[in-house]
Amino acid sequence: MNKGEQAPDFDLPDQHGTRRKLSDFLAQGPLVLFFYPIALSSGCTAESCHFRDLGAEFAELGAQRAGISNDTVERQLEFDKTNAFGYPLLSDEDGAVATAFGVRRTGLLAGLSPTRRQTFVIDTDRTILDVVKSEVRMQAHAEGALKALRARTA
């Protein structure tokens, strides 16, 4: 998925087993949806904690945050309990949503890192405002999303 395209709707459980749809998120404002490879890994923890720590800035811009990986609901709950994120962690166990967004890996790397680390800033009409791509700069995702959201309100 690229900037300007329409994000596909989805229906996934969060870390508490509650079903979440993109359309429901967007009824409350723009959504920052960040894909991460593996819950509880060091890089994913750093990235997710940065989104947590900038929560007030996202709230000021009327935006919500949600993380997504192919981890189970139970592992997402453990990840959340360990780090007190304060936002939904979605379980995309079969990788269907990752595939729809174009971030699912195939081949040899898929076993180690099934999902590419990418962040999508999605406006209320499902238009992708920006895509942040970086496998190694964990802070780039939240900061890039904030930049896109600020440009949206300027």
Side-chain angles (χ1 to χ4, degrees):
M1 305 259 20
N2 296 302
K3 186 175 177 177
E5 293 183 330
Q6 293 289 296
D9 204 359
F10 56 76
D11 182 344
L12 292 173
D14 67 14
Q15 69 268 39
H16 304 289
T18 302
R19 302 298 299 190
R20 303 290 194 120
K21 294 180 181 179
L22 175 62
S23 53
D24 293 340
F25 281 114
L26 298 180
Q28 300 173 29
L31 174 67
V32 177
L33 182 66
F34 65 99
F35 286 83
Y36 56 92
I38 302 169
L40 296 164
S41 65
S42 62
C44 295
T45 299
E47 176 187 19
S48 300
C49 286
H50 196 56
F51 273 104
R52 176 199 63 203
D53 297 345
L54 294 173
E57 292 181 52
F58 284 103
E60 285 174 14
L61 295 166
Q64 304 161 84
R65 301 151 293 150
I68 182 171
S69 73
N70 74 326
D71 292 291
T72 64
V73 168
E74 294 78 18
R75 188 160 172 94
Q76 298 286 37
L77 181 59
E78 180 183 355
F79 193 29
D80 185 38
K81 284 183 176 180
T82 301
N83 297 285
F85 291 125
Y87 54 79
L89 299 177
L90 305 175
S91 177
D92 181 28
E93 281 192 71
D94 66 2
V97 176
T99 299
F101 275 82
V103 299
R104 177 121 186 210
R105 289 190 201 277
T106 58
L108 293 175
L109 282 178
L112 297 172
S113 180
T115 305
R116 287 183 184 86
R117 188 181 313 279
Q118 288 189 26
T119 299
F120 296 87
V121 182
I122 307 169
D123 208 344
T124 55
D125 65 356
R126 292 183 32 200
T127 300
I128 297 175
L129 297 174
D130 201 9
V131 181
V132 181
K133 301 177 184 181
S134 179
E135 295 285 345
V136 296
R137 292 179 28 242
M138 304 311 161
Q139 294 187 343
H141 292 269
E143 300 196 12
L146 285 170
K147 182 179 177 183
L149 290 164
R150 288 182 184 118
R152 174 186 181 263
T153 60

